[in-house]
Amino acid sequence: MTSTSTQRACAPSPTATNLPSSPPLAEVETMAAPDKQLGTSQVISEDSGTVAAPSYSSATFCVQLVSGVTTYRDPPVFKGAGAENSFLGRTRAEKHETHGELTMLRYEAHPSMALKVLAKLAREAIEQHDLLHVTIVHSVGDVPVGDASVLVQVLSAHRAPSYAATATIMDRLKQLVPIWKQEVWEDGSTWQDGKPVQIHA
């Protein structure tokens, strides 16, 4: 889905329920989260949905590409979520021996393919780590030093799966998603080495 609205959270998640064979957990229904208008980024495209996890029949995910800087947003609120792990990847200050100080990173993407792979990573993380929710947001365009280009947000019943899932998502995102990074320096620019895109990922 394509949108030109201000950056926003995905629609509120439907109620997540336990599968009949799952162990009893605390209440896992969702509650509405505050709808924050954050920054000036525009949503380029997004995908969201539900997927069965080992303990939940309708865990949820939201993936987005946004223009400009990525910012933190409140996730959907699950009563059964004892852990929220949020990672923001930021542009760090660096100095090139030839081109001087780094001013920004500039990201380019194949939007439809990138969204497809991000959604696949979110679904796989939910299934592998028994999660309640995953949000992945990535910037396209210019991200100055100090600002964030990626948000990975994981909700789970316990903290260990949230840590493991976040690390796995970030590792696979950098390996598989067709998003390319250009380093813009004071005097010139360079491209970060990439890997071949997996067309059928």
Side-chain angles (χ1 to χ4, degrees):
M1 181 175 74
T2 302
S3 172
T4 57
S5 61
T6 303
Q7 181 174 318
R8 52 184 167 74
C10 286
S13 306
T15 300
T17 55
N18 286 353
L19 293 169
S21 60
S22 65
L25 295 175
E27 294 180 50
V28 294
E29 66 268 20
T30 61
M31 301 181 294
D35 185 14
K36 288 188 174 181
Q37 300 294 323
L38 297 175
T40 58
S41 297
Q42 301 290 307
V43 176
I44 298 170
S45 57
E46 69 175 22
D47 189 13
S48 61
T50 61
V51 59
S55 299
Y56 314 105
S57 60
S58 55
T60 62
F61 70 90
C62 168
V63 296
Q64 292 181 333
L65 295 177
V66 300
S67 65
V69 173
T70 293
T71 53
Y72 177 86
R73 78 277 305 282
D74 286 332
V77 180
F78 286 81
K79 289 184 178 180
E84 173 198 332
N85 194 46
S86 294
F87 170 81
L88 278 169
R90 298 183 181 275
T91 304
R92 66 179 177 270
E94 293 187 30
K95 187 171 184 178
H96 193 281
E97 60 182 10
T98 303
H99 302 301
E101 300 287 343
L102 183 70
T103 62
M104 69 180 73
L105 296 177
R106 179 170 293 148
Y107 292 91
E108 295 184 6
H110 187 298
S112 61
M113 288 178 59
L115 206 66
K116 178 180 177 182
V117 179
L118 289 173
K120 183 174 186 287
L121 296 184
R123 290 193 298 267
E124 289 177 346
I126 288 170
E127 294 167 350
Q128 293 170 5
H129 297 281
D130 200 16
L131 308 175
L132 284 157
H133 178 80
V134 170
T135 292
I136 309 174
V137 182
H138 203 292
S139 295
V140 176
D142 295 347
V143 181
V145 170
D147 287 324
S149 60
V150 61
L151 168 68
V152 174
Q153 196 168 57
V154 172
L155 300 180
S156 59
H158 305 285
R159 66 182 183 273
S162 72
Y163 293 148
T166 302
T168 298
I169 290 169
M170 277 304 304
D171 288 344
R172 290 177 60 76
L173 185 156
K174 292 173 74 69
Q175 294 169 357
L176 302 176
V177 181
I179 297 175
W180 300 276
K181 180 169 66 176
Q182 184 182 28
E183 300 155 324
V184 181
W185 310 90
E186 289 176 315
D187 180 22
S189 62
T190 56
W191 284 93
Q192 189 80 357
D193 291 337
K195 296 185 177 181
V197 174
Q198 296 187 10
I199 300 297
H200 302 294

